[in-house]
Every structure is written in C-alpha cells, then in structure tokens.
C-alpha cells in the first residue's frame, strides 16, 4: 500500500479530489513578499559624491591586491618583486588621491547644494538683544533732542 493518501484513495477507486476537498475550509496561504521596504536611516549620497566614492573603493581594492602581490613576490624572491613594489607605491599615491577626491567632492557638494543654514536660537537671541540696545539708544537720543528743542538750558 502507498504511504501517500491521495494515491491510496485513487488506487482503491476513490477520487483524488476527496482528499483535497477536506482542506477547503483552510484559507489559502497569502503570497509573501520577499522583502519589506523600510525607510532609509540616512539619505542617499549625491550622485557625484557616490561616483567618486565608488571610484575610490575600486582604487583602494586594487592597491591592496598590488601590495599583497608585492609582498608575496618579495618573500618568494621573484624578479617581479621590484616592479610590483614600485607599482604598489604608485598605486598608494593614486589611492590617497581617490580618497581625498571623495572628501573634496563632498565638501563642494555641501557648499553648493547643501542645507541652507538657519541661525540657531542663541544667534537669534543675540540679534534681539542688539536690536533692543539700538532701539533704546535711538529713543534716548531722540528724547535728548526733544529736550533741547524745547529750549532746555545747555
């Protein structure tokens, strides 16, 4: 006899659908999504900054591979050790330039298109105090001028 119930019932002359009819009251499983969208924790980098960052990562990765080749060739005593070391040194200079390029590109982007800074509450308060002092100075001067205009003795 077969261990699967649908085949066994079909072999005994029963209908294969009999087994499936019993499960009609069970709801069909909902289609699950592969992933759920979550809001990003940080905003995406601007396009020029991201481009320079990807370039820098690739350059640094190649530099690390060249440095490893240089070290291994040096340990093996290969003729390729000297050119590999020279290439690794040159690549280190280029990698430094690549990382600095990311930093400079980010700074330029922030200066051109960055968030418009608003004065902080302390700066606002200092401006209010200066305005008050100017207003009081102007009103005191006007009051002094009014007194002289009325014929006050000098």
């Amino acid at each position: 006899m077969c261990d699967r119930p649908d085949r066994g019932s079909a072999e005994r002359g029963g209908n294969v659908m009999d087994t499936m009819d019993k499960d009609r009251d069970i709801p069909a499983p909902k289609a699950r999504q592969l992933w759920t969208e979550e809001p990003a924790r940080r905003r995406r980098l601007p396009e020029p900054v991201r481009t320079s960052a990807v370039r820098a990562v690739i350059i640094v990765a190649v530099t690390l591979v060249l440095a490893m080749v240089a070290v291994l060739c040096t340990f093996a005593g290969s003729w390729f050790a000297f050119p590999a070391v020279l290439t690794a040194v040159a690549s280190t200079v280029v990698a430094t330039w690549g990382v600095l390029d990311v930093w400079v590109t980010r700074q330029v982007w922030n200066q051109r298109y960055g968030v418009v800074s608003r004065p902080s509450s302390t700066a606002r308060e200092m401006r209010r105090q200066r305005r008050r002092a100017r207003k009081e100075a102007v009103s005191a001067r006007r009051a002094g001028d009014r007194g002289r205009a009325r014929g006050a003795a000098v």
Side-chain angles (χ1 to χ4, degrees):
M1 196 142 168
C2 192
D3 54 347
R4 289 183 56 189
D6 57 341
R7 286 197 181 161
S9 62
E11 288 174 2
R12 281 184 256 134
N15 190 359
V16 176
M17 292 299 289
D18 290 343
T19 309
M20 294 175 69
D21 288 341
K22 294 177 186 176
D23 296 335
R24 278 191 183 166
D25 58 338
I26 300 173
K30 295 180 182 176
R32 292 188 327 170
Q33 293 180 343
L34 291 177
W35 64 84
T36 57
E37 293 287 333
E38 293 181 5
R41 292 184 184 152
R42 290 178 6 185
R43 288 182 23 219
R44 190 174 175 174
L45 285 174
E47 196 62 33
V49 178
R50 209 169 47 161
T51 303
S52 64
V54 168
R55 187 183 320 123
V57 166
I58 291 171
I59 291 171
V60 167
V62 170
T63 300
L64 289 174
V65 169
L66 287 173
M68 184 59 68
V69 167
V71 166
L72 292 176
C73 286
T74 303
F75 286 156
S78 172
W79 65 270
F80 191 64
F82 182 68
V85 168
L86 290 179
T87 308
V89 169
S91 182
T92 303
V93 172
V94 173
T96 305
W97 168 82
V99 172
L100 284 175
D101 180 47
V102 174
W103 182 67
V104 169
T105 307
R106 188 167 164 263
Q107 295 299 323
V108 168
W109 177 268
N110 283 338
Q111 284 181 0
R112 286 186 186 164
Y113 311 106
V115 177
V116 177
S117 63
R118 295 191 177 110
S120 65
S121 58
T122 55
R124 263 187 235 114
E125 186 58 37
M126 289 175 64
R127 258 198 338 261
R128 283 185 195 131
Q129 289 173 358
R130 284 195 304 261
R131 243 185 266 133
R132 256 187 242 123
R134 252 184 288 151
K135 205 174 195 180
E136 289 172 4
V138 168
S139 63
R141 199 174 7 168
R142 285 184 184 162
D145 290 344
R146 272 191 227 133
R148 288 188 196 145
R150 290 186 182 160
V154 181

